[in-house]
Amino acid sequence: MLQEWRRLFKFALVGGMNTGIDVALFAALVYGLGLSSTPSQFISYFVAFLNSYWWNKRWTFQTGGKRDARELIRFGIVNLLSFLFATGVLLAFERGIGFSPIIAKLLSVFASLAVNYTGSKLWVFRKESVRQQS
């Protein structure tokens, strides 16, 4: 049980780091370079995705030694679903309700977090014994 709490804490730390990278890069692209929200969302989310996979594989779930294409594909699928959901939330708040791009982005992060944690825990980084049963 203590190990699971540690894993959850690590996931939250990695998530916080990824969110910082995602939001900072998004803000730099929108406000610094003048890009619109959609390409900025894609670029910032992709950079955070790569960072997230590396840290979660090697530190949070400690599956770093093995090269597992299925794991990377699953991580990609979970993050694609999370990205699509977050982008929908971002655009709904920005274009639908009229929030500023950065406020809409911050709200989309919470939506993404729920999808990403659930998918990572239950499908991507499951223990080997659980994978063999499915």
Side-chain angles (χ1 to χ4, degrees), residues 104-115:
K105 173 65 176 177
L106 292 172
L107 292 170
S108 78
V109 166
F110 291 105
S112 173
L113 204 82
V115 173

Side-chain angles (χ1 to χ4, degrees), residues 23-67:
V23 173
L25 185 53
F26 178 84
L29 293 170
V30 170
Y31 297 108
L33 296 179
L35 292 178
S36 70
S37 295
T38 303
S40 297
Q41 169 75 344
F42 177 77
I43 294 166
S44 67
Y45 196 93
F46 184 70
V47 170
F49 162 81
L50 294 175
N51 184 69
S52 178
Y53 181 73
W54 195 90
W55 281 101
N56 279 314
K57 179 175 182 57
R58 286 174 172 67
W59 187 55
T60 305
F61 297 99
Q62 297 178 350
T63 60
K66 301 172 255 175
R67 293 189 184 260

